[in-house]
Amino acid sequence: MTNTLTQLASRLKVGVTPQALPIPGTNQVENSAGGYSFPVNDWTRLQRFLILGSEGGSYYASEQKLSADNANGVLNCIQNDGPRVVREIVAVSKAGRAPKNDPALFALALCASLGDIETRRLALDALPEVARTGTHLFHFAAFCDGARGWGRGLRRAVGRWYETMGAEKLAYQALKYQSRDGWSHRDLLRLSHPKPGSQAHGILYHWMTQGWPGVGDEPHDVEALRQIWAFERAKRAGTEDEIVGLIRDYKLPREGIPTQFLTSPKVWEALLEDMPLAAMVRNLATMTKIELLTRTSDATKRVVSMLNDSDRIRRARLHPIALLSALTTYSSGRGVKGNATWTAVPKVIDALDSAFYTAFGALEPTNKRWALALDVSGSMGGPPIAGVAGLTPRVASAAMAMVTNAVEDDVQMLAFSHELRTLSLSRKQRLDDVLKAVDKIPMGATDCALPMLWASKTKAKVDVFVVYTDSETWFGNIHPVEALRRYREESGIAAKLIVVGMVANKFSIADPNDAGMLDVVGFDTAAPQLMSDFSLNNM
Ligand code: CA
């Protein structure tokens, strides 16, 4: 007893607590690895969930468990301040900060189902802003169906979704996404009975519920309906040229092309002329396989110029993860599923690589001294982020760190588990090579204090430590924040710590009561700018 108290007293004095124990006087909680971390508040947790989601679960929790935990977290926030939850959902979703919109739709469905009257109203009003495509609407319907009945408020909100969308846009949405998740436009129209605000709307509703009344050879009189006419017409087209004509004249998207024409380079070349950026990125392998994209083709020039167009990337809200996923798959020359192979075009690979950085927006160098430390421990090898094959948190951290590495001059990259090693990753190295290199580093136990201990030992000058981690630290003899405070004292530098959360759990190694520490979320497109502002004290 006395012995224990003596040990405790000595720890209080020197600020050295093994990670298997909480730092005395703090609210640290036991993490899933049996060590102690700080709990993040429900709002930080909400941000992590909205951006990282719970797909695939985590190293420690099944998808079901992680989803349930996050749902409870969202419910706490709703009880606390429902309108704020709606605002946060809209902000993340509209700016395209998350790799997937599903967590936002899920949280919005919870607000619309379980919030107070005001929250429910705000959530339903925000529906068109968060559910921007037919697929989004189907997902929202599926989430609501689980969480509440189809009351009048919900029916009205879904009805308004149809009423307020312009006829041309609605036609395009209906053509691209006819049904998902067991929901179709027919189901939703029958539940919500929207009013046809125009003749075109009326015909569209009829088409979605009962089909097209006979397809003539002449395009429809109403311009907004010509794409639907072309879609129905394409079903009985006999030649490539007919299809190409329909694509060129009526901007028919890929979803409207009968399968037997989807191996034709001519058809794809026509599709490429008006193809949205995200669809282009998804179809690079297909377009290469059919030899539309070759080392010298015009189509390749078009693709490369689309990927180099930073305005277009931002307008399309194309998420960096979509580009990273395309880059790793495309450059491998082999599909994730099945046995499809292709010969990747080097110019396209390079353009994807640079588009990844563009998608985070323009960053200015801060001229601070950065140490970017990747947690490469076992738990970081857990389920991939946003369901992207191979994109484990540890590999994803490397890509995230490269964003800061690309703009800052003074950067030391580190990788640690129970040991630490310095990494030399050049901004000129391609991301898929960086990911492969990091993937090869052996995994081990977790000690998140190592980056700060390394800086103390080597007398490195560091203004900002960035640790990319799940904060499941347990192995070390000193807590990360204690190691940081010790480094501050020894070096005389008021060093900061940014924790980039790579998993939607509730832990952080950052002390919420220390203004020099910040939690951000990995793969939030806003994170690099937040990090740079924080390092400059602009927040
Ligand atoms: Ca770990």
Side-chain angles (χ1 to χ4, degrees), residues 33 59-60 375-380 444-447 469-470 472-474:
Y59 180 80
Y60 294 101
D375 175 350
V376 293
S377 69
S379 64
M380 291 288 281
T446 319
D447 182 358
T469 183
D470 56 7
E472 304 272 20
T473 193
W474 55 277

Side-chain angles (χ1 to χ4, degrees), residues 3 12 28 42 70 205 307 340 354 404 475:
N3 214 359
L12 285 171
Q28 284 195 318
D42 285 334
N70 274 300
Y205 298 164
L307 289 170
S354 81
T404 301
F475 189 74

Side-chain angles (χ1 to χ4, degrees), residues 258-271:
T259 327
Q260 69 267 32
F261 293 107
L262 287 175
T263 49
S264 153
K266 266 170 91 179
V267 166
W268 278 95
E269 185 162 38
L271 284 171

Side-chain angles (χ1 to χ4, degrees), residues 21 44 55 66 92 103-104 146 149 177 188 193 217 234 263 282 323 335 352 372 380 427 431 465 473 475 533-534:
L21 294 170
T44 304
E55 189 179 345
L66 191 63
V92 167
Y177 318 98
L188 290 180
H193 296 293
D217 287 335
T263 49
R282 269 199 312 274
L323 290 155
L352 280 169
L372 309 179
M380 291 288 281
R427 68 185 67 177
L431 278 163
F465 292 93
T473 193
F475 189 74
D533 289 347
F534 180 70

Side-chain angles (χ1 to χ4, degrees), residues 192-401:
S192 66
H193 296 293
K195 293 187 188 67
S198 69
Q199 188 204 359
H201 275 82
I203 297 172
L204 278 171
Y205 298 164
H206 187 272
W207 173 66
M208 289 188 255
T209 47
Q210 295 168 57
W212 197 254
V215 186
D217 287 335
E218 290 302 308
H220 201 279
D221 303 341
V222 180
E223 197 167 339
L225 298 172
R226 287 187 185 164
Q227 206 175 36
I228 302 287
W229 172 83
F231 171 68
E232 295 293 341
R233 190 73 186 71
K235 290 180 184 168
R236 51 182 174 96
T239 66
E240 243 176 26
D241 288 339
E242 261 182 277
I243 294 287
V244 167
L246 291 170
I247 294 168
R248 293 235 158 92
D249 294 345
Y250 305 102
K251 300 196 192 318
L252 203 55
R254 192 200 64 80
E255 289 81 353
I257 310 301
T259 327
Q260 69 267 32
F261 293 107
L262 287 175
T263 49
S264 153
K266 266 170 91 179
V267 166
W268 278 95
E269 185 162 38
L271 284 171
L272 186 58
E273 286 169 22
D274 281 294
M275 196 179 286
L277 199 55
M280 185 275 277
V281 167
R282 269 199 312 274
N283 287 299
L284 286 170
T286 303
M287 292 189 287
T288 304
K289 229 173 351 194
I290 59 165
E291 294 179 354
L292 175 63
L293 301 183
T294 64
R295 228 160 39 78
T296 51
S297 64
D298 287 344
T300 297
K301 283 189 197 111
R302 182 185 282 270
V303 161
V304 168
S305 98
M306 282 170 86
L307 289 170
N308 286 336
D309 186 340
S310 49
D311 286 341
R312 187 161 181 173
I313 288 175
R314 263 167 247 149
R315 270 201 318 271
R317 288 184 282 221
L318 192 58
H319 197 276
I321 276 193
L323 290 155
L324 189 61
S325 161
L327 171 67
T328 51
T329 311
Y330 184 72
S331 64
S332 77
R334 177 175 293 279
V336 176
K337 290 175 203 148
N339 45 15
T341 57
W342 57 87
T343 308
V345 180
K347 275 185 218 158
V348 174
I349 301 179
D350 290 340
L352 280 169
D353 190 67
S354 81
F356 170 81
Y357 295 98
T358 311
F360 278 101
L363 285 171
E364 295 289 327
T366 61
N367 300 316
K368 296 284 177 192
R369 296 162 291 189
W370 296 75
L372 309 179
L374 317 178
D375 175 350
V376 293
S377 69
S379 64
M380 291 288 281
I385 291 180
V388 176
L391 199 63
T392 59
R394 68 190 227 129
V395 160
S397 319
M400 197 64 207

